Amino acid sequence: MDTLLRLGDPDDFRTGAGTHADGPRCREAGVRDLVGAVCAEGESDWRRALDRGMKSWRALRDMERPRLHLMLEGAEPLARLDDPEPILEGLEMATLTWNPANSLAGGVQSDSGLTAEGRSWVRRLESLGVLLDVSHLCARSRRDLLSVAEGPVVASHSNAAGLCDHPRNLPDADIRELAGRGGLVGITFVPSFLGGDAGMDTVMDHLSYVADLVGTEAVAFGSDFDGIGRLPRDIEGCQSWPGVLEAMAEKGFTDEEIRAVAADNWRRLLGSEDSERGGSS
């Protein structure tokens, strides 16, 4: 979710905000973990955006439910900061780029690979236990990262190119590669990544496609709440998670598979405990 940069006041998240996700609705929906992305590279003033996003995260990091996991969507700010350690101390997941190329790698709006600095940051982030994310990388940089990284790698919010040929979606070979390394694909609610008249049924189509290809242990959800203006039919925000899980059951997923996809697969990689049926976004 991109909610951290959409909050006027971090306390709004605790009491109820006009965003796709907030604390009260997450608790009511049974959500126990959220990945909060700070996409400073997507803003006109990256430093101000980074400071604002980190301020929101620090103000909310003590919440027990939902628990927030910090992600950077675009890691170039780390390379530009004189002292990135205060961010690295809490960072759990990172993409190297947003959509354009930067000094580290090529985003989906480019066709460039990892730079020497990017390769160095891959090694540094992995050494700190930060989970690497390929969702915003172009195909060339995605291949480069997979050749350098030693541990699990994820696509936090991408869908199946086999169903919708979009640059942000993954071909079958890459889905298999991520699964084979112990990573996962987070099915996202971005309508243009779903294709067609995007709705709950389209989300289930992509979820089933990846699960059939590599198993339910390698697929999860990556909603992109508050990172998009329009949501698919039948999804209104974090309050819609019970409906998503009900749609999974109607699609034929077992209770164990629903727990894995909705929560346990992300918790395994992010080191979060308390395996209870509920969504993450």
Side-chain angles (χ1 to χ4, degrees):
M1 68 168 193
D2 285 78
T3 312
L4 294 175
L5 281 178
R6 304 291 173 257
L7 296 169
D9 184 330
D11 283 339
D12 291 343
F13 189 85
R14 295 182 184 272
T15 59
T19 51
H20 289 157
D22 61 35
R25 283 180 291 148
C26 282
R27 288 189 289 274
E28 184 176 352
V31 177
R32 304 189 71 88
D33 294 85
L34 289 171
V35 175
V38 177
C39 184
E41 286 190 28
E43 303 291 325
S44 57
D45 186 335
W46 69 266
R47 190 177 294 273
R48 177 177 292 183
L50 182 65
D51 289 346
R52 189 172 75 252
M54 291 303 300
K55 178 183 177 181
S56 293
W57 179 73
R58 291 185 178 111
L60 299 170
R61 65 184 300 182
D62 64 338
M63 291 182 64
E64 294 184 1
R65 183 173 181 181
R67 176 186 173 188
L68 294 184
H69 302 267
L70 178 63
M71 171 185 175
L72 277 189
E73 197 168 281
E76 189 172 48
L78 292 174
R80 292 187 182 182
L81 291 172
D82 293 333
D83 180 16
E85 290 303 322
I87 295 175
L88 291 171
E89 287 174 0
L91 190 63
E92 295 187 62
M93 180 163 35
T95 68
L96 293 183
T97 71
W98 186 51
N99 290 331
N102 62 19
S103 65
L104 307 181
V108 292
Q109 293 175 350
S110 75
D111 187 28
S112 54
L114 265 64
T115 65
E117 186 177 18
R119 292 171 184 269
S120 177
W121 271 101
V122 167
R123 297 185 183 96
R124 182 174 180 180
L125 291 169
E126 276 204 312
S127 73
L128 295 171
V130 177
L131 188 62
L132 294 167
D133 176 8
V134 300
S135 271
H136 277 275
L137 296 181
C138 66
R140 183 177 173 189
S141 278
R142 191 163 61 240
R143 289 192 298 270
D144 284 352
L145 187 146
L146 289 169
S147 72
V148 176
E150 296 182 354
V153 175
V154 302
S156 65
H157 53 308
S158 295
N159 291 335
L163 292 182
C164 177
D165 188 15
H166 188 284
R168 282 287 313 279
N169 290 342
L170 300 180
D172 290 0
D174 286 9
I175 294 173
R176 291 191 180 99
E177 172 76 7
L178 293 179
R181 300 170 66 100
L184 58 78
V185 176
I187 300 301
T188 186
F189 300 157
V190 182
S192 60
F193 302 175
L194 292 166
D197 182 20
M200 185 77 77
D201 54 345
T202 329
V203 173
M204 291 299 116
D205 288 343
H206 281 267
L207 175 62
S208 296
Y209 184 97
V210 177
D212 289 344
L213 189 68
V214 293
T216 52
E217 68 275 10
V219 62
F221 288 110
S223 68
D224 209 14
F225 281 150
D226 291 308
I228 48 178
R230 181 173 66 89
L231 291 167
R233 283 179 292 101
D234 304 319
I235 297 177
E236 299 176 354
C238 63
Q239 66 270 30
S240 298
W241 280 117
V244 174
L245 305 190
E246 182 179 345
M248 288 186 67
E250 292 174 354
K251 193 76 171 178
F253 289 94
T254 66
D255 284 348
E256 182 179 1
E257 290 171 332
I258 292 171
R259 283 193 298 271
V261 172
D264 290 351
N265 292 340
W266 273 124
R267 289 174 178 149
R268 167 175 56 85
L269 290 172
L270 293 173
S272 179
E273 298 179 351
D274 189 9
S275 172
E276 180 177 306
R277 179 168 171 163
S280 61
S281 55

